[in-house]
Amino acid sequence: MALRIALYRPEIPPNTGNIARLCVALGAELHIVGEPAFELSEKAARRAGLDYWDKLKLTLHPSWDAFSKTLSSDSKLYLISTKGKISYTTPQYRENDVFLFGNETSGLPQEIFESEIPNGILRIPMEEDCRCLNLSNAVAVIAYEALRQIRRW
């Protein structure tokens, strides 16, 4: 597997559906950490993911603690946040890297930032008057850069 996308307690079904479709298109795994704010069978998520749900490599983790225990020593975990100081283009990505995105309204909780597991907190540069990107757009930006490096596209 080239990379893993992880969403922390996603809140908006169409974002998750779009991300699911992106993961299928890129051959990436999708991990959902904690309870999403909607049922994964919800119509909006299914519609956004079109007919790709049966092809999706999806893993559900009940909590951050459960998810963090699944990370292997050959994986680097990157947190994606507007609080990050490192541009997403700076690290050299490898197979099995994991990218954790916070939810749409509150991002990642402090306990994750304070854990010793992450290899870095990355940001996507944007103008100061823009608070953040749409979650599915942010995932696409990061995923394509990671795969560009890994697969040398």
Side-chain angles (χ1 to χ4, degrees):
M1 183 57 50
L3 74 121
R4 291 175 273 176
I5 302 297
L7 306 177
Y8 181 81
R9 302 186 70 193
E11 298 171 325
I12 301 175
N15 282 340
T16 302
N18 288 335
I19 293 164
R21 182 171 24 165
L22 178 71
C23 286
V24 171
L26 299 179
E29 294 176 3
L30 178 60
H31 295 257
I32 295 182
V33 180
E35 286 294 316
F38 56 89
E39 292 290 324
L40 286 175
S41 61
E42 197 165 306
K43 189 177 181 179
R46 294 284 172 189
R47 184 172 53 242
L50 297 173
D51 56 351
Y52 294 101
W53 283 98
D54 64 326
K55 298 171 182 71
L56 178 64
K57 295 171 183 135
L58 174 65
T59 305
L60 304 175
H61 305 272
S63 65
W64 159 250
D65 188 50
F67 171 71
S68 65
K69 289 177 182 172
T70 68
L71 298 173
S72 62
S73 61
D74 69 334
S75 297
K76 287 186 177 181
L77 174 67
Y78 295 99
L79 306 181
I80 313 303
S81 172
T82 57
K83 298 174 183 175
K85 303 292 185 219
I86 304 166
S87 172
Y88 75 100
T89 59
T90 301
Q92 294 298 304
Y93 302 121
R94 309 176 315 192
E95 295 269 340
N96 297 316
D97 282 350
V98 182
F99 301 89
L100 179 61
F101 296 80
N103 65 39
E104 292 88 342
T105 58
S106 58
L108 294 167
Q110 194 60 35
E111 73 170 300
I112 294 175
F113 288 113
E114 293 172 356
S115 74
E116 294 181 16
I117 297 172
N119 292 91
I121 303 170
L122 307 180
R123 66 175 174 77
I124 299 171
M126 62 189 87
E127 296 295 325
E128 288 183 23
D129 60 346
C130 183
R131 187 171 44 87
C132 63
L133 293 176
N134 170 280
L135 179 60
S136 60
N137 291 337
V139 171
V141 167
I142 299 291
Y144 271 98
E145 173 59 20
L147 286 179
R148 183 192 68 79
Q149 291 184 27
I150 293 167
R151 295 182 181 165
R152 303 289 184 230
W153 285 348

